[in-house]
């Protein structure tokens, strides 16, 4: 297994303190507190509209007004790799897989879209990790939905120093592509990457994630997946997987 990202014990990478967000008089969440440690795989659960994507945008510092504090230790929020639920790259984007992957480095340094030898080498390594080497010269537009999503995951990986944020990365994928995507994310986590992922898949959260954050009705749970399985939150949403 590659050791591309080095873990540093129980170092707290992200600390969220008393975070509150309101839109047009409606409180999305209030006094939210949790920490993400180096090597965590945190699954963020909750109903639609509970603020999961808003929370990710707060962590990424993407034009969301909030009260409270978000502290990162040892890295910039700009160096977090992000795979949004709806990417800005259209499925018919006229570029090769390699070009899309390399675009993850855009904005790093002063070279713009002219990538360094080191960045090209890292992109190649990331494509090997995600089993994309054979597709490098293929047009992104010609790929299946599952393959395209894997390419976009690889692009986010190029942008990431230590942390990946994934917003429902299997949305719209069939069963086989969903299993493949989860397997690739698990591989990245086992290789040393810290992962935060929004999901509606409670079964996956209990079997794959190390920690769970469930946001609901101005309240929340944060703890291990094992602890989550004993909560009322799980009993409300998890009965369907038994």
């Amino acid at each position: 297994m590659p050791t591309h990202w080095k873990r540093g014990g129980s170092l707290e990478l992200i600390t969220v303190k008393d975070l509150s967000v309101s839109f047009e008089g409606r409180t999305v969440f209030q006094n939210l507190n949790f920490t993400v440690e180096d090597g965590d795989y945190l699954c963020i659960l909750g109903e639609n509209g509970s603020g999961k994507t808003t929370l990710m945008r707060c962590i990424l510092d993407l034009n969301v007004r909030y009260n409270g504090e978000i502290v990162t230790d040892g890295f910039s929020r700009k160096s977090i790799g992000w795979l949004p639920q709806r990417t800005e790259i259209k499925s018919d984007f006229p570029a090769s897989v390699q070009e899309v992957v390399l675009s993850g480095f855009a904005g790093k340094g002063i070279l713009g879209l002219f990538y360094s030898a080191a960045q090209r080498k890292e992109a190649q390594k990331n494509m090997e990790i995600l089993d994309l080497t054979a597709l490098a010269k293929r047009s992104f537009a010609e790929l299946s939905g599952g393959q395209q999503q894997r390419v976009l995951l690889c692009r986010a990986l190029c942008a990431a120093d230590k942390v990946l944020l994934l917003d429902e990365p299997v949305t719209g994928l069939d069963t086989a592509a969903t299993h493949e995507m989860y397997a690739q994310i698990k591989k990245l986590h086992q290789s040393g990457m810290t992962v935060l992922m929004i999901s509606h898949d409670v079964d996956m959260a209990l079997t794959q994630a190390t920690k769970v954050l469930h946001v609901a009705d101005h309240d929340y749970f944060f703890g291990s997946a094992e602890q989550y399985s004993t909560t009322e939150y799980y009993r409300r949403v998890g009965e369907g997987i038994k």
Side-chain angles (χ1 to χ4, degrees), residues 158-170:
C158 288
D161 284 347
K162 296 182 178 181
V163 180
L164 274 174
L165 267 61
L166 313 175
D167 191 349
E168 300 193 36
V170 300

Side-chain angles (χ1 to χ4, degrees), residues 68-125:
E69 190 175 9
I70 300 175
V71 179
T72 58
D73 190 343
F75 68 101
S76 165
R77 284 195 256 181
K78 293 182 179 180
S79 65
I80 295 174
W82 184 36
L83 178 57
Q85 184 176 359
R86 293 178 178 85
T87 180
E88 68 274 17
I89 293 183
K90 296 181 179 180
S91 60
D92 60 350
F93 186 67
S96 71
V97 166
Q98 185 177 43
E99 288 170 332
V100 173
V101 170
L102 279 167
S103 71
F105 293 112
K108 286 191 173 184
I110 61 174
L111 295 176
L113 293 177
F114 295 94
Y115 306 108
S116 68
Q119 288 173 333
R120 291 181 179 278
K121 184 176 180 180
E122 184 174 349
Q124 180 64 31
K125 183 182 295 184

Side-chain angles (χ1 to χ4, degrees), residues 19-105:
L19 188 69
S20 299
V21 174
S22 298
F23 289 128
E24 300 178 350
R26 184 181 76 87
T27 299
V28 180
F29 45 77
Q30 189 169 17
N31 298 326
L32 183 62
N33 292 273
F34 66 94
T35 58
V36 179
E37 296 183 345
D38 192 10
D40 276 349
Y41 188 154
L42 173 65
C43 189
I44 303 171
L45 302 172
E47 298 298 323
N48 290 334
S50 61
K52 302 184 298 297
T53 297
T54 297
L55 172 59
M56 277 202 176
R57 294 183 67 85
C58 288
I59 293 173
L60 291 162
D61 199 20
L62 294 177
N63 300 318
V64 179
R65 296 182 62 181
Y66 62 83
N67 294 317
E69 190 175 9
I70 300 175
V71 179
T72 58
D73 190 343
F75 68 101
S76 165
R77 284 195 256 181
K78 293 182 179 180
S79 65
I80 295 174
W82 184 36
L83 178 57
Q85 184 176 359
R86 293 178 178 85
T87 180
E88 68 274 17
I89 293 183
K90 296 181 179 180
S91 60
D92 60 350
F93 186 67
S96 71
V97 166
Q98 185 177 43
E99 288 170 332
V100 173
V101 170
L102 279 167
S103 71
F105 293 112

Side-chain angles (χ1 to χ4, degrees), residues 177-234:
T178 293
H179 289 163
E180 173 65 18
M181 193 67 173
Y182 282 150
Q184 296 292 348
I185 294 168
K186 183 177 181 179
K187 182 195 298 185
L188 295 179
H189 174 246
Q190 291 176 334
S191 299
M193 182 61 69
T194 299
V195 176
L196 287 74
M197 181 171 67
I198 292 175
S199 178
H200 288 288
D201 192 337
V202 179
D203 191 15
M204 181 283 307
L206 293 181
T207 58
Q208 195 156 306
T210 60
K211 294 179 181 176
V212 172
L213 173 66
H214 187 122
V215 289
D217 299 328
H218 309 164
D219 197 4
Y220 69 93
F221 164 87
F222 173 68
S224 70
E226 182 178 3
Q227 291 169 332
Y228 177 69
S229 68
T230 68
T231 67
E232 181 62 28
Y233 297 106
Y234 170 72

Side-chain angles (χ1 to χ4, degrees), residues 150-161:
R150 191 147 40 99
V151 171
L152 296 176
L153 176 62
C154 194
R155 184 181 72 150
L157 192 57
C158 288
D161 284 347

